[in-house]
Structures are given as C-alpha cells and as structure tokens.
Amino acid sequence: MNNIRRPGNKITGFTLTELLVVIAIISVLAGILFPVFGRAKAQAKSTACLSNVHEIGIAAGLYAGDTDDHFPHGLDMIDKFTTALKGTPFETIVPTYPLVNEVLMPYTKSRQVFRCPEDSGMYVADLTFLYPLDTTPSTYGKYGSSYRWNSEMDLRGLTFAGTPNPSRVDLLSDASGSWHAGLRLTDSNNADDFPTQSLRYNAGYVDLHARSCTHDELVDANWELQL
C-alpha cells in the first residue's frame, strides 16, 4: 500500500486565449464604467457649487437684515477689473468699491464658500458680453471668488423687498458657464462662434433660491430688471 503513488492536484495557468478574453472584458467594463464615474464626479462638484451659490445668497440676505434691506455694497471681478461699467454713471465709483466676496465674509465665515470645485479660470466673461478677463488657472485663486455678482442691484439702489419678480431676477452665478459644461473656452472665442447653447451656470436669485440654468435663462434673468 505504501508503494502506491497518489498523483497530487495538478495546477494549470491561463492560456493565451483566456488571458486575451479577460483583458477584453476588463477593457469593455472600463469603457463603460469610467465615463459613468466621471459624470458622477462632475455632478458631485456641480452640486457642491450649487450649495455654495445658495449659501452666498443666504449671506446676502443676512447682510440685508443689517443694512435696512439693501444689497451688498460691492462689485464682482468682472465689474471691477474689466470695462463693464465704462460709460455708465457708475464708472467713477468702481475704484472705491470693494469686491463683494470681501463684503460678505463676515456673513459666510469661510472663504471656501466662494470657490467652485470646477473653477478652471476663464479668458472672457461669457454671460452677455465677451469682456476679456484672464483668470487662469482659477478665478477663485486670482480674485477670491468663482462667482459673478449682479452688482446692478446695489448700484441702482434697489432693495430685496423692492425688487420686482424676485424669483426671476438673478443675484449671482458661476463666473463662467464653461466649467459645468466641460468646455475650455479661449481668448480666441468671439461672439460669432461662442457656444452659448452649451454653457451651464449655477445661479442664485433674489428670493434666495438657487438652481442650474442655461445661458439663455440667465441672460433673461439679467434682463428681467429692464422689463
């Protein structure tokens, strides 16, 4: 009995064909899952940005509570560092106005609330007019805020309660609509080839709600005060 040989378990490796099949399956799964993960990550960043917009709007409401219902007495980087207000009655006061993110700091208690996670800077202010403004590598890094502010509210002496259609008038938005659209706009873009139909913004409104909107929707909100 002791002379009987019992063969051990035989272990074999993958054949080349089997390895190629496994690699092909992994490649297919990666091709399916990676874009899904990418979209989920982008959506998470957009949601965080929308939360920031809402918090800044609430801070503006708190400011109003301390200033007889007035809007923050400050400008965004577009109005302060481009020619946006040139030729208007407000041109001469631009140098005297602080940035609105500095004005609201006592109410937000955090500088990070002014940073959009998708902020990759911009070369032009893309909402209505293509004002050149190079904020690369990030608008937050250069000016302390990723968000455009509707400075006209304060400049015209309006109040929260005195603003007509407050749910339709914008208060702030992303400084560039390219960030959440996955676009990289350059200084070579002009009004004729600007992809406005693809731009997306997180925007806050005078009634303090916030939502994602298209370029056209935000332009309409900007012009609501003219109606």
Side-chain angles (χ1 to χ4, degrees):
M1 292 291 294
N2 291 333
N3 294 327
I4 298 176
R5 300 179 62 187
R6 292 181 173 86
N9 294 330
K10 187 177 181 181
I11 301 176
T12 60
F14 287 107
T15 66
L16 178 59
T17 300
E18 289 171 332
L19 285 173
L20 291 175
V21 170
V22 170
I23 292 172
I25 292 173
I26 292 174
S27 298
V28 171
L29 290 175
I32 294 173
L33 295 177
F34 285 174
V36 173
F37 292 150
R39 287 193 295 271
K41 185 177 181 181
Q43 183 59 46
K45 289 182 177 180
S46 181
T47 299
C49 177
L50 185 62
S51 176
N52 287 347
V53 168
H54 184 251
E55 285 191 49
I56 296 169
I58 295 297
L62 294 174
Y63 175 98
D66 289 339
T67 58
D68 200 22
D69 202 41
H70 286 93
F71 290 96
H73 186 69
L75 302 175
D76 64 10
M77 76 293 296
I78 298 170
D79 285 333
K80 191 165 180 67
F81 298 109
T82 71
T83 59
L85 294 178
K86 187 174 183 180
T88 73
F90 314 115
E91 179 180 359
T92 57
I93 67 174
V94 169
T96 68
Y97 263 56
L99 287 170
V100 72
N101 45 296
E102 297 296 337
V103 174
L104 290 177
M105 264 302 298
Y107 299 92
T108 63
K109 306 298 185 182
S110 170
R111 294 190 183 277
Q112 286 299 309
V113 76
F114 292 99
R115 178 182 176 273
C116 171
E118 295 274 37
D119 182 351
S120 57
M122 60 183 180
Y123 290 98
V124 290
D126 55 50
L127 180 56
T128 50
F129 304 101
L130 304 184
Y131 294 115
L133 185 65
D134 185 351
T135 68
T136 54
S138 79
T139 308
Y140 172 81
K142 199 159 187 177
Y143 295 114
S145 177
S146 301
Y147 302 105
R148 172 204 137 264
W149 184 260
N150 191 350
S151 308
E152 182 181 1
M153 311 298 292
D154 174 63
L155 294 174
R156 289 178 56 177
L158 295 172
T159 62
F160 273 87
T163 301
N165 301 319
S167 65
R168 296 169 57 187
V169 177
D170 74 300
L171 193 57
L172 74 155
S173 70
D174 299 308
S176 175
S178 65
W179 302 336
H180 299 302
L183 298 174
R184 184 62 176 169
L185 305 182
T186 70
D187 52 2
S188 65
N189 289 108
N190 57 56
D192 293 328
D193 64 9
F194 213 72
T196 55
Q197 71 281 357
S198 300
L199 302 180
R200 297 291 308 185
Y201 303 81
N202 286 323
Y205 293 76
V206 174
D207 70 345
L208 304 185
H209 85 280
R211 67 183 180 89
S212 174
C213 62
T214 66
H215 179 271
D216 288 348
E217 288 171 333
L218 193 52
V219 169
D220 289 343
N222 242 236
W223 282 101
E224 186 68 31
L225 285 175
Q226 311 300 322
L227 301 179

